[in-house]
Amino acid sequence: MTSNAVRPLALFAALLAALFLSSCTSTEQSQGDGHTDHSHTESAGESAGDAQAPHNADDVAFAQEMMAHHKQALELVDMARDRSTDPALLELAAGIGAAQGPEMGQMAEMLRGWGQDPDGAMQHGGHSTMPGMVDDATMARLRSLSGREFDTLWLESMISHHQGAVEMAKAENANGENADAKALAEHIIEAQEAEIAQMKQMLEG
């Protein structure tokens, strides 16, 4: 066979080889892309599953009950503003209000994230089911007092109220699952135990 006849056959063979390689490469890329998309889908699914942080019934009960507990504390703070003239007590009451208002907002966000209605939480439980809640008779008496008599009963009531909150927060730390709720509980314990010690000193003084 002459060299002129061999050359077209060689070119044809080279063309076939190129087409074959191109087909294989396209198939591999397509398979690779499919694998990548599958991984992306799995990742997106995992992210969606992680959107709701782990929590249990104790976390929900803690947020619901502590919101109602804090609500009464803010009522006591408002009473102090109206009925006390003691600068130290007024400063303490202002600090309690400044801390517990934002904490209520934090707990409301937690409840919304867990599919719960924060507004319903404000009616959760009742005075008899939450430790430290001031009874209706004492709340009425506080509204009738002013000056030193008010200050004494207010401090006694708020000490008991704080002790109840600390008890609730310790139960959350022992039984809860949600990291944010447990961190808030720890903060409540630290802050309110310090305020309890301060109020006891004020009563003694």
Side-chain angles (χ1 to χ4, degrees):
M1 183 178 293
T2 65
S3 60
N4 289 337
V6 172
R7 188 173 297 146
L9 290 174
L11 290 174
F12 182 72
L15 180 60
L16 286 176
L19 288 171
F20 177 78
L21 289 173
S22 175
S23 175
C24 290
T25 302
S26 298
T27 301
E28 290 171 356
Q29 288 177 343
S30 176
Q31 291 173 344
D33 290 344
H35 178 72
T36 301
D37 291 342
H38 181 63
S39 298
H40 178 73
T41 302
E42 288 181 348
S43 177
E46 289 170 357
S47 297
D50 291 342
Q52 189 178 76
H55 65 282
N56 61 17
D58 291 287
D59 297 316
V60 174
F62 166 72
Q64 289 174 329
E65 294 180 358
M66 192 63 82
M67 277 190 72
H69 208 268
H70 275 24
K71 180 185 177 184
Q72 189 182 61
L74 296 183
E75 291 172 3
L76 289 165
V77 166
D78 286 340
M79 280 189 202
R81 290 170 179 156
D82 292 338
R83 301 191 167 277
S84 178
T85 57
D86 184 340
L89 189 147
L90 290 171
E91 182 179 357
L92 171 67
I96 292 171
Q100 296 198 18
E103 286 172 0
M104 289 179 69
Q106 185 178 350
M107 287 182 281
E109 286 299 314
M110 289 179 186
L111 288 168
R112 276 190 284 268
W114 300 334
Q116 304 291 325
D117 180 10
D119 294 332
M122 301 303 290
Q123 307 300 324
H124 185 80
H127 290 192
S128 62
T129 64
M130 288 181 283
M133 291 291 283
V134 182
D135 61 72
D136 292 339
T138 303
M139 292 291 282
R141 177 157 173 74
L142 281 165
R143 293 187 183 97
S144 71
L145 297 175
S146 60
R148 182 61 184 168
E149 280 187 308
F150 171 86
D151 294 344
T152 299
L153 183 57
W154 188 92
L155 287 168
E156 291 171 347
S157 300
M158 190 63 90
I159 288 171
S160 177
H161 197 270
H162 271 30
Q163 288 170 335
V166 168
E167 181 181 335
M168 293 162 64
K170 287 181 176 179
E172 164 62 16
N173 268 346
N175 304 315
E177 180 181 356
N178 183 264
D180 289 337
K182 290 165 77 79
L184 176 59
E186 188 60 40
H187 173 74
I188 289 172
I189 293 168
E190 181 179 350
Q192 297 204 20
E193 282 185 339
E195 289 168 349
I196 289 168
Q198 180 182 353
M199 288 187 285
K200 286 180 175 180
Q201 287 182 343
M202 292 170 70
L203 275 176
E204 292 170 0

